[in-house]
């Protein structure tokens, strides 16, 4: 019911517009949250998450790395994530990432996370002429303004970002508590 962060003050502070670096930080927070959802629900390694490609399936409106299939009974729609498994040898793999009743519009959390990542990085994907789902902003503390400021993220940086996200936003004291 309440915002997860305070309002962004867009007034000029100091020599630079610090609100731009604040926006960049929020983009990284959303990225980290999405990757945490993917890894916790799907079980992908970070290298497999970072290897996902961007794009939209025009038929489903979902990211193109998601494949929908009807279950054998016809009662459910199963969501599969298509990507490369990176351990030992790179080969294409599919992970089940959710299901819903066939007549439902429910979107499983990992699918929502992938959709958010697709939308979040779209402007910079175009600027950088890249097809990676997740990007890295390589220059400074602001937002990329040129193709050379956009690249592939390092898994070690993602790991540090996830730890920072958990420290700042997740109350680990409530894990395992009985809600009664």
């Amino acid at each position: 019911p309440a915002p997860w962060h305070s309002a962004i003050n867009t007034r000029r502070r100091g020599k630079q517009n610090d609100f731009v670096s604040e926006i960049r930080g929020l983009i990284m927070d959303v990225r980290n949250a999405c990757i945490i959802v993917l890894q916790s629900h799907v079980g992908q390694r970070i290298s497999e998450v970072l290897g996902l490609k961007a794009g939209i399936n025009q038929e489903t409106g979902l990211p193109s790395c998601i494949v929908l299939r009807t279950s054998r009974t016809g009662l459910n729609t199963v969501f599969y994530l298509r990507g490369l498994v990176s351990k030992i040898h790179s080969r294409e793999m599919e992970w089940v990432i959710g299901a819903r009743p066939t007549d439902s519009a429910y979107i499983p959390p990992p699918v929502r996370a992938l959709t958010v990542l697709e939308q979040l990085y779209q402007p910079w994907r175009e600027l950088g002429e890249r097809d990676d789902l997740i990007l890295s902003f390589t220059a400074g503390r602001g937002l990329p303004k040129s193709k050379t400021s956009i690249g592939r993220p390092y898994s070690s940086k993602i790991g540090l970002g996830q730890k920072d996200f958990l420290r700042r936003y997740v109350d680990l004291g409530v894990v395992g508590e009985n809600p009664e």
Side-chain angles (χ1 to χ4, degrees):
W4 63 283
H5 64 86
S6 58
I8 297 172
N9 182 355
T10 58
R11 294 187 183 173
R12 192 175 184 97
R13 296 179 240 164
K15 292 182 179 180
Q16 295 183 357
N17 292 330
D18 289 346
F19 72 90
V20 175
S21 62
E22 191 175 344
I23 291 169
R24 178 184 170 135
L26 291 172
I27 290 169
M28 297 304 112
D29 285 343
V30 170
R31 174 205 68 192
N32 293 329
C34 289
I35 294 172
I36 289 168
V37 168
L38 277 173
Q39 288 188 293
S40 66
H41 284 74
V42 180
Q44 285 185 299
R45 296 174 184 91
I46 191 60
S47 57
E48 294 159 353
V49 173
L50 296 179
L52 294 173
K53 297 301 178 189
I56 294 291
N57 179 323
Q58 296 303 315
E59 193 175 306
T60 65
L62 295 171
S64 56
C65 56
I66 297 172
V67 177
L68 301 177
R69 292 193 192 108
T70 304
S71 66
R72 287 184 183 162
T73 63
L75 297 175
N76 296 301
T77 299
V78 182
F79 294 79
Y80 293 87
L81 174 59
R82 184 176 290 158
L84 293 177
V85 76
S86 59
K87 187 105 176 177
I88 303 172
H89 17 219
S90 288
R91 70 180 200 284
E92 195 167 279
M93 171 93 176
E94 288 185 346
W95 292 264
V96 174
I97 62 171
R100 68 180 181 205
T102 299
D103 60 349
S104 170
Y106 174 74
I107 302 293
V111 177
R112 289 197 320 251
L114 289 162
T115 302
V116 167
L117 289 168
E118 176 67 42
Q119 294 170 349
L120 182 68
Y121 285 109
Q122 183 54 39
W124 294 288
R125 236 180 259 116
E126 290 175 12
L127 177 66
E129 299 174 1
R130 302 195 62 95
D131 67 349
D132 303 301
L133 181 66
I134 301 169
L135 301 172
S136 173
F137 300 158
T138 59
R141 295 176 7 151
L143 297 173
K145 296 177 184 166
S146 71
K147 180 180 178 176
T148 58
S149 299
I150 300 166
R152 284 193 60 161
Y154 291 104
S155 58
S156 59
K157 295 266 187 191
I158 298 288
L160 292 172
Q162 289 176 309
K163 288 176 186 176
D164 184 52
F165 178 87
L166 291 170
R167 253 191 309 278
R168 290 186 295 126
Y169 297 112
V170 177
D171 181 2
L172 296 175
V174 300
V175 174
E177 287 184 10
N178 189 349
E180 294 181 71

